[in-house]
Amino acid sequence: MAEKPNQVEKLRSLNDFHCNNCGLASLCLPLSLSLTDMERLDGIIEKSPPLKKGSHLFHQGDPFTSIFAVRAGTIKTYTVTKDGEEQITGFYFPGELIGLNAIDTEAYPISAKILETTTVCEIPYEKLDDLAGQMPELRRQLIRTMGREIREEQQMMLLLSKKTAEERVATFLLKLSERYRKRGYSASIFRLSMSRNEIGNYLGLAVETVSRIFSRFQKQQLINVEGKEIEVLSLEDLHAVSGELRMPSLDQNSARATS
Amino acid sequence: MAEKPNQVEKLRSLNDFHCNNCGLASLCLPLSLSLTDMERLDGIIEKSPPLKKGSHLFHQGDPFTSIFAVRAGTIKTYTVTKDGEEQITGFYFPGELIGLNAIDTEAYPISAKILETTTVCEIPYEKLDDLAGQMPELRRQLIRTMGREIREEQQMMLLLSKKTAEERVATFLLKLSERYRKRGYSASIFRLSMSRNEIGNYLGLAVETVSRIFSRFQKQQLINVEGKEIEVLSLEDLHAVSGELRMPSLDQNSARATS
DNA sequence: CGCATGATTGAAGTATATCAATAGTGGTGG
DNA sequence: CCACCACTATTGATATACTTCAATCATGCG
């Protein structure tokens, strides 16, 4: 039976999606929860249908209600500056949480836009807070996740204030590579889900600069670029260009790393 | 009795220092704790003696044990980049917490250096975590504080990636002004506890640029500068130069602000 | 009081932005 | 299915905000 998975089958399996069978649990909030705890967390989570590219998860100013975990796809978050231009504050991949910066406010301080067809888990914050009061491991995991976010943003500050354009782009590619690797994808071949414009915006560079540096890196045999397809030819060399301290590819066990 | 407060008196009052009589409680973790809860928090906190300018609270790589709350004085945090130069990640004033970025690691990812004679409250993280499990309001306050830190760092990213030198310096001065105001000091006259070099480092600018902009602002009657003494002549005009969206001085009740 | 360190100001250099023109890409409808 | 159009990316030429280098001046600490 069930020899040919059909449409109904596929729908059923979508509805059967739970934290305890989510491949991302180890990257997300369920990390180190017991099975029963995981089920309780699962109970408060709303799984979204696929969201279309270009649509918004929420807009800056919308009332804050929920944290979102990316299940599949990519999301960018951004604010709009005084003169109307956008500043991208982050790209979010499966297992990552969006909305942590809104916890002490009544409205989202940023907008979240879908970059490619994406599904998310919506976690109502009031309920999450309740559960965090009852489940020590969930509380710790939430706080750890926030601590990591603070740290990563400080690294981003360093990138923006001290690094050259080449270092920024190299660092960006390495970080992407590392994130793909952690999710079980190739660390050396991947597809950019954002435009050159968005990369430049995020890194504090003009589009043209990003484009030139991609070309330069290609000429230097560091990477192969073909539109949005990136192949990293030498993680080591790219790392040398990035000006980063540690060698991310050696950093297999991030929990024990001292950063 | 006790007509002339003497040395012993002063020492006694130092030892009598507790969360429930700390003027900063409303800016710090004790915020919205009940009196009993506050006393329990107070029970796990170690009050430091005065720390000397130039000394370190901890060094990058030291084992992570505690969060610190500044009680009086100023502290800067910084990382050291590959080529040995430092990147300042923040300045911390009374009531602010240091070390939140280390929570999910085993070692501090930054160093913390005293800028002027400072006292701190040391909060052992294990004990804080225990208490957070028992006291919902403490848990919420810790998480809120982290959420705010994440948000503020995103604003800093925006500053570093989109703002001009003048906008950066103006924003910096306004943020300082606001922080002094919240602590009951003058919003328009204050003393910089950091050097021009440190300001430049933090803002991603050369010292010379900071100095030139201070002079320019002075010429434009925005501020008066005399060494480390700053007088803001027009918060409104400075705000206009800063490129910030909101008018911070109108933002009296930050808890209800939606940012 | 003196000397090291920090701050200011000017002159010259540079990395990156901006402007401009062309080439490629992907989505849409005929 | 291909042709079209808008959008995105690339590449070159020029402009500029900020850095770097250099010299002088101020400050504060022992």
Side-chain angles (χ1 to χ4, degrees):
Chain A
M1 26 203 107
E3 311 227 62
K4 43 171 184 174
N6 55 19
Q7 194 60 24
V8 173
E9 184 89 355
K10 269 159 90 186
L11 274 168
R12 202 184 63 80
S13 76
L14 244 168
N15 290 332
D16 275 353
F17 197 97
H18 293 296
C19 288
N20 59 34
N21 60 25
C22 177
L24 299 162
S26 66
L27 294 167
C28 188
L29 276 181
L31 174 59
S32 74
L33 293 191
S34 70
L35 198 60
T36 43
D37 279 357
M38 208 182 284
E39 276 164 4
R40 292 179 71 191
L41 175 60
D42 189 73
I44 67 164
I45 291 178
E46 290 277 339
K47 285 81 180 177
S48 83
L51 306 169
K52 282 228 182 65
K53 175 176 173 173
S55 66
H56 276 81
L57 191 56
F58 52 77
H59 286 91
Q60 192 166 349
D62 285 355
F64 169 67
T65 55
S66 302
I67 303 287
F68 295 89
V70 179
R71 192 134 54 85
T74 321
I75 293 181
K76 76 168 176 187
T77 55
Y78 64 95
T79 53
V80 175
T81 65
K82 205 171 190 173
D83 32 302
E85 62 178 335
E86 80 180 38
Q87 163 64 25
I88 295 172
T89 54
F91 298 106
Y92 292 82
F93 289 102
E96 297 174 338
L97 298 183
I98 302 179
L100 295 176
N101 60 356
I103 283 182
D104 71 313
T105 67
E106 295 183 353
Y108 293 103
I110 52 175
S111 299
K113 192 172 188 176
I114 315 296
L115 290 186
E116 55 188 354
T117 307
T118 292
T119 52
V120 299
C121 297
E122 174 166 4
I123 313 169
Y125 184 66
E126 262 187 43
K127 291 180 184 167
L128 178 63
D129 183 54
D130 277 350
L131 277 193
Q134 298 165 34
M135 297 161 36
E137 269 312 320
L138 179 60
R139 177 188 80 240
R140 291 197 190 97
Q141 182 55 24
L142 176 59
I143 290 175
R144 273 196 297 263
T145 301
M146 296 184 81
R148 177 154 35 89
E149 177 122 355
I150 292 171
R151 194 149 28 79
E152 280 168 4
E153 278 172 13
Q154 286 172 352
Q155 286 169 18
M156 194 65 196
M157 283 169 50
L158 193 148
L159 177 143
L160 291 171
S161 97
K162 288 273 175 302
K163 294 196 171 192
T164 65
E166 286 202 354
E167 289 171 336
R168 291 181 201 197
V169 174
T171 305
F172 178 73
L173 290 173
L174 282 174
K175 289 250 168 85
L176 280 189
S177 159
E178 180 62 8
R179 280 153 99 184
Y180 283 121
R181 192 183 63 69
K182 283 223 174 97
R183 282 158 187 77
Y185 299 108
S186 167
S188 50
I189 300 183
F190 47 86
R191 185 179 176 77
L192 299 173
S193 42
M194 67 292 290
S195 70
R196 301 285 192 276
N197 221 314
E198 288 167 328
I199 295 172
N201 184 300
Y202 179 60
L203 296 177
L205 299 171
V207 205
E208 296 93 327
T209 306
V210 175
S211 195
R212 273 184 255 270
I213 288 174
F214 273 10
S215 304
R216 206 178 304 161
F217 281 178
Q218 172 140 261
K219 210 166 283 170
Q220 294 168 202
Q221 301 282 335
L222 289 169
I223 60 174
N224 264 327
V225 194
E226 186 145 346
K228 307 218 151 185
E229 299 290 340
I230 298 282
E231 179 182 5
V232 179
L233 297 174
S234 166
L235 282 166
E236 289 72 23
D237 293 352
L238 198 59
H239 182 263
V241 173
S242 78
E244 288 286 295
L245 278 145
R246 291 176 306 132
M247 180 72 213
S249 66
L250 300 175
D251 186 15
Q252 302 287 11
N253 199 330
S254 76
R256 285 197 288 113
T258 60
S259 175
Chain B
M1 44 221 79
E3 311 227 62
K4 42 172 182 172
N6 55 19
Q7 194 61 24
V8 173
E9 186 89 354
K10 270 160 92 187
L11 274 168
R12 201 184 65 79
S13 77
L14 244 169
N15 290 332
D16 274 354
F17 197 96
H18 294 296
C19 288
N20 59 34
N21 59 25
C22 176
L24 299 162
S26 65
L27 295 167
C28 187
L29 277 181
L31 174 61
S32 73
L33 293 191
S34 70
L35 198 60
T36 44
D37 279 357
M38 208 182 285
E39 275 165 4
R40 292 179 71 190
L41 174 60
D42 189 72
I44 68 165
I45 291 178
E46 289 277 339
K47 284 82 179 177
S48 82
L51 305 169
K52 282 227 183 68
K53 175 176 173 174
S55 66
H56 276 81
L57 191 56
F58 52 78
H59 286 91
Q60 191 166 350
D62 285 356
F64 168 67
T65 55
S66 302
I67 304 287
F68 296 88
V70 179
R71 191 135 54 87
T74 321
I75 293 181
K76 75 168 177 188
T77 55
Y78 65 95
T79 52
V80 175
T81 65
K82 206 173 190 172
D83 32 303
E85 62 178 335
E86 80 179 39
Q87 163 65 26
I88 295 172
T89 54
F91 299 106
Y92 293 82
F93 289 101
E96 297 174 338
L97 298 182
I98 302 179
L100 295 175
N101 60 356
I103 283 182
D104 71 314
T105 67
E106 294 183 354
Y108 293 103
I110 52 174
S111 299
K113 193 172 188 175
I114 315 297
L115 290 186
E116 55 189 353
T117 307
T118 292
T119 52
V120 300
C121 297
E122 174 166 3
I123 313 169
Y125 184 64
E126 262 187 42
K127 290 179 184 166
L128 178 63
D129 183 53
D130 277 351
L131 276 193
Q134 297 165 36
M135 297 160 37
E137 269 313 319
L138 179 60
R139 177 187 79 239
R140 291 198 191 97
Q141 182 55 22
L142 177 59
I143 290 175
R144 273 196 297 263
T145 301
M146 297 184 81
R148 177 153 36 89
E149 178 122 354
I150 292 171
R151 194 150 28 79
E152 280 168 3
E153 277 172 14
Q154 286 172 352
Q155 286 170 16
M156 194 64 196
M157 284 170 50
L158 194 149
L159 177 142
L160 291 171
S161 97
K162 288 273 174 304
K163 294 196 171 191
T164 65
E166 287 201 354
E167 289 171 336
R168 292 181 203 197
V169 174
T171 304
F172 178 74
L173 290 174
L174 282 174
K175 289 251 168 84
L176 279 189
S177 158
E178 181 62 9
R179 282 154 97 183
Y180 284 121
R181 193 183 63 71
K182 282 222 175 100
R183 281 158 187 78
Y185 299 107
S186 167
S188 50
I189 300 183
F190 46 87
R191 186 180 175 76
L192 299 172
S193 42
M194 67 292 290
S195 69
R196 301 286 192 276
N197 222 314
E198 288 166 329
I199 295 172
N201 183 301
Y202 179 60
L203 296 177
L205 299 171
V207 205
E208 295 93 328
T209 307
V210 175
S211 195
R212 273 184 255 269
I213 288 174
F214 273 10
S215 303
R216 206 177 306 160
F217 282 178
Q218 173 139 264
K219 210 166 284 169
Q220 294 168 202
Q221 302 282 335
L222 290 168
I223 60 175
N224 264 327
V225 194
E226 187 144 347
K228 307 218 150 184
E229 299 290 339
I230 299 283
E231 178 181 6
V232 180
L233 297 174
S234 166
L235 282 167
E236 289 72 24
D237 293 352
L238 198 58
H239 182 263
V241 172
S242 79
E244 289 285 296
L245 278 145
R246 291 176 305 132
M247 181 71 213
S249 66
L250 300 174
D251 186 16
Q252 303 286 9
N253 199 331
S254 75
R256 284 198 288 113
T258 60
S259 175

